[in-house]
Amino acid sequence: MVPMGLDRVFSVVLLVAAIVFAPWACARIVSPSSADRESSGQTDGQSDAFVEQELAVDLDGAADADFATAAPLAISPSTAYAPSGTHVQFKAVGGTGTFTFTLQAGNNGTVSPGGLLQTTGAGELTIRVTDGAGDTAQAKVFSFNLSDHPALGVWLSADTLMPLGDGGSIATWSDRSAQKNDVVQGMASQRPTLRHAALNGLPVVDFHGAQYLKHPSYLPALGAAPRSVIAVVTDIAPRGSRQPVCAWGGSNSFRNAFGLSVGSADGRHRMDSTFVVDVHSYDKAAASTTPMQQARPYLVVAHYDGEAIDQQVNGVWSGRKVEAINTASNVPLEVGAWHVSAPYVFYQGSIAELMVFEDASTGYPFEETLCYLSRKYNIPIEGSLDCGTGSVAFFHDGVVTVKAGEALSLNPRGGVAPYCYVLSGPGSIAPEGVYQAPSTPGSAHLRVEDSFGQSDELELRVVGFPQPATWLELSSTMFGDQGPVALISDVSGNRRHFSQRASSRQPVFVANGINAHPTLRFSGGQSLSNAWIAPGRVSARAFFAVVKGVSAGTIFSQGDDNYCGGQFALTVGTFFNVDTNCTVFTTSTSPASEPAILVADYDGATLRVFTNGEEVLSTTAPLVTDTVYGNKLGADFRGTVGFFHGEIAEFIAFDSHLSNAERMAVESYLSVKFGILLK
């Protein structure tokens, strides 16, 4: 480590009080060996803050003889699910000397001394690693039959194509299932290509926007028969149109097709930037609440149980949507294309794995299969099983908001437990991962590290009001001035991000919009989709928006116009209005060029609107908001009309009514931040 001046030593010592130790895992972060760092993917170039926290322990005299010893021996994965005929690579860390792996229990597999397990049948196995001192650690492997499962109609795995060279074109993608439903492409110009070492060291199949594979006759579940599609996808191009991962069926009427797509055919879909269970009906599809981010890998499930469609992304279900579908038999299974109806569209992205099940069971082997793919491609997922995923990660995407004085469970997933937590900033963290926020607003940073030294970090935002359901906040370093905006992360911690895949509909980033804070400029043709369906019907809700230069259009909207009261939108005309379709509630405030804080709060009976802290509307409003479409910023729920003219600096939404004190706390926060005086 580099020498430190007295000023840095002082700051280091101050951090000691913020470090909370789990029983032994935290001992590893005091002075980890270079070997440990190499095996965990960490280097001496880790963040300065964390190096300081390590030093703080030594300088404070907290290290003792126990801390100085080698870390306990650990094995990864500690639990694994693997189809029969596949392999699992085990690693070890800690202990002393060299490692040797042996099979302790089970006769349905073999393991090499270096830790490579090859499964040969279904059943449970126990793998043991022994270090040079004779210490041991064990892992459990649950091997299960998959390829010959009667409901598995197709299993396409990119690693079966490895004999092809990197960049090789794919004429046939062989089916690993017992059904042998290979997909093919006879035209060389329409063949996808193989890319080696693309996802967790494994290959993927690249579709470039005009390539696809098809089966000449195989039709998975038809009519209203149950079915599930499981796919591992990544590197999805930011296109505005529907991108089909797979599809089959017909087009003679709505709900005659079935497939998994990214995005929808037009901008009006409730989640037009997310994954969609596509049934050839825009308002009948089921969409996830996870907007696609181009470089990330996703484990996606499209599911129909004969009564309702649903979708899962990285272990999170989006919610059942009851729908009577009737999949036709016009077009057999296609991968990477949609030929069931015009206009014909293609997928532009990568597929690592694709499975089609002709049932809708979420029991065996569904969960086991998801765990297998999660570990194989290192995609941590939510779920009831310990999948043995390599990386450790928080559920939240880098940031979470918590109300002052409240506790929040921050259970990470993946990695190898037990976990160590290191907190820098106010509040406290319990060994089980529960953060207790301080009594006053502020911010802190939390680092979790597993027994392998793998880590993830999280920003904790402590505020004086309840945790929002979704929160759009801009920072000056997000984008270049006057640049287009494709994705903004939700800082509430709920991962309900804001996105726009179509470049022609992306708002513009203004670096110095209000009080030296940036804004988004909407000039009559742009919108963002918010991956959140606000509470529908008569449910309580509250919305806050900081705007500037407002002249016309829709600031935000949700719902649809299928019936009176089905929409909830804050619009701009001669006055600020709330439009519920058939009824427009008009406030007493006219839009102006000056910045303003707008609030719309509904408690289930009464609608109240505030401008800069002043109540400008209070009325009984029997809302019956539909939940077909999610939030749109800058346009009506379709994303195609009612475009906004003005700038938005911040948008905060709650899935509950706020008390006067809570509302005023949010208004005060925004007032101070943007220099807007409250009335």
Side-chain angles (χ1 to χ4, degrees), residues 80-153:
Y81 292 82
S84 177
T86 63
H87 67 269
V88 181
Q89 178 64 60
F90 288 90
K91 301 182 297 180
V93 71
T96 57
T98 58
F99 305 127
T100 302
F101 295 85
T102 56
L103 181 63
Q104 284 301 112
N107 57 4
N108 51 317
T110 59
V111 65
S112 71
L116 181 64
L117 170 70
Q118 180 69 43
T119 61
T120 57
E124 183 177 323
L125 304 98
T126 301
I127 308 301
R128 174 177 290 177
V129 62
T130 306
D131 70 1
D135 293 329
T136 63
Q138 295 189 158
K140 290 288 187 182
V141 178
F142 301 92
S143 181
F144 60 99
N145 291 326
L146 181 59
S147 61
D148 58 354
H149 191 277
L152 182 61

Side-chain angles (χ1 to χ4, degrees), residues 19 150 211 378 518 560 601 655:
I19 301 178
Q211 296 78 36
N378 195 21
D560 69 13
D601 182 275
D655 54 9

Side-chain angles (χ1 to χ4, degrees), residues 189-205:
S189 62
Q190 293 185 321
R191 292 172 181 168
T193 56
L194 184 70
R195 179 159 50 102
H196 289 188
L199 182 56
N200 200 31
L202 297 169
V204 298
V205 175

Side-chain angles (χ1 to χ4, degrees), residues 514 544-548 596-598 647-650 670 674 676:
I514 302 176
F544 294 73
V546 179
V547 297
K548 171 189 174 184
I597 300 170
L598 303 179
E647 298 178 28
I648 299 177
E650 197 140 340
L670 296 173
F674 293 102
I676 300 173

Side-chain angles (χ1 to χ4, degrees), residues 151-417:
L152 182 61
V154 169
W155 179 7
L156 304 175
S157 181
D159 51 11
T160 63
L161 299 166
M162 281 301 289
L164 283 175
D166 190 29
S169 63
I170 300 166
T172 300
W173 196 352
S174 298
D175 177 16
R176 294 182 67 172
S177 82
Q179 309 303 322
K180 301 305 177 186
N181 286 316
D182 302 346
V183 290
V184 299
Q185 179 53 260
M187 297 184 63
S189 62
Q190 293 185 321
R191 292 172 181 168
T193 56
L194 184 70
R195 179 159 50 102
H196 289 188
L199 182 56
N200 200 31
L202 297 169
V204 298
V205 175
D206 288 335
F207 295 79
H208 304 284
Q211 296 78 36
Y212 70 103
L213 298 160
K214 61 184 179 180
H215 192 282
S217 60
Y218 174 58
L219 284 153
L222 300 177
R227 78 288 303 263
S228 290
V229 174
I230 301 176
V232 176
V233 295
T234 189
D235 296 333
I236 305 169
R239 295 166 61 189
S241 61
R242 171 205 287 142
Q243 296 194 64
V245 176
C246 70
W248 70 91
S251 60
N252 53 320
S253 66
F254 283 147
R255 300 180 294 281
N256 269 188
F258 189 87
L260 172 63
S261 297
V262 183
S264 62
D266 65 21
R268 77 173 188 165
H269 195 278
R270 65 174 181 172
M271 310 288 191
D272 62 84
S273 297
T274 69
F275 298 97
V276 179
V277 181
D278 207 331
V279 297
H280 187 51
S281 178
Y282 304 137
D283 63 348
K284 302 301 181 185
S288 77
T289 55
T290 303
M292 189 284 303
Q293 299 181 53
Q294 184 174 355
R296 287 193 175 186
Y298 295 94
L299 175 51
V300 189
V301 177
H303 184 264
Y304 182 68
D305 62 7
E307 179 181 276
I309 48 181
D310 203 349
Q311 187 176 73
Q312 185 191 103
V313 178
N314 293 353
V316 179
W317 287 104
S318 59
R320 283 167 48 86
K321 187 173 188 297
V322 175
E323 189 59 51
I325 67 173
N326 184 25
T327 309
S329 58
N330 304 55
V331 178
L333 176 69
E334 294 183 331
V335 179
W338 176 276
H339 283 104
V340 297
S341 64
Y344 302 146
V345 289
F346 299 90
Y347 176 63
Q348 188 171 347
S350 305
I351 301 175
E353 206 110 6
L354 179 67
M355 301 180 187
V356 179
F357 287 86
E358 296 184 28
D359 72 2
S361 171
T362 55
Y364 177 87
F366 179 80
E367 283 194 309
E368 288 79 1
T369 300
L370 294 184
C371 268
Y372 160 65
L373 296 173
S374 168
R375 176 188 54 79
K376 180 177 180 179
Y377 294 103
N378 195 21
I379 305 175
I381 64 173
E382 307 297 313
S384 59
L385 298 180
D386 177 5
C387 295
T389 308
S391 296
V392 62
F394 285 110
F395 171 84
H396 315 281
D397 279 347
V399 61
V400 64
T401 300
V402 56
K403 184 178 180 180
E406 292 189 350
L408 183 65
S409 179
L410 300 168
N411 295 327
R413 60 195 189 278
V416 180

